[in-house]
Amino acid sequence: MSEIDRLHDASRVPRADLAALGDLDEGHYAVLRTAFEHARDKRERDLSAAIDQGLTVVPALARSAVRRMLFS
């Protein structure tokens, strides 16, 4: 699997849009994929922290159950 395919799978950006970036080698696509994966992971951590912060009004013992109820 080429790096452009891996980037497409990770980002869901259409291959045509990725190809429009120009003549990039596999290393550049790998850097873009890694940057996208790090940004995605940070977004997930930030969102989880924001949800936890929002659930502070719920008693600690019930938070995990409330979180599952709201986000499943």
Side-chain angles (χ1 to χ4, degrees):
M1 179 180 268
S2 70
E3 284 297 330
I4 194 168
D5 292 330
R6 289 185 183 101
L7 177 58
H8 165 72
D9 291 342
S11 67
R12 312 257 172 149
V13 174
R15 283 184 180 85
D17 293 348
L18 294 173
L21 293 173
D23 190 22
L24 301 177
D25 62 19
E26 292 290 308
H28 289 110
Y29 287 118
V31 169
L32 289 172
R33 180 182 49 83
T34 302
F36 179 84
E37 288 171 346
H38 285 291
R40 182 191 60 212
D41 294 343
K42 182 180 181 333
R43 180 178 178 269
E44 288 177 14
R45 285 190 309 271
D46 291 348
L47 181 60
S48 181
I51 290 168
D52 289 341
Q53 184 66 27
L55 290 175
T56 57
V57 295
V58 176
L61 291 174
R63 285 183 193 149
S64 63
V66 170
R67 187 179 182 134
R68 278 194 306 264
M69 231 174 23
L70 291 173
F71 300 105
S72 6

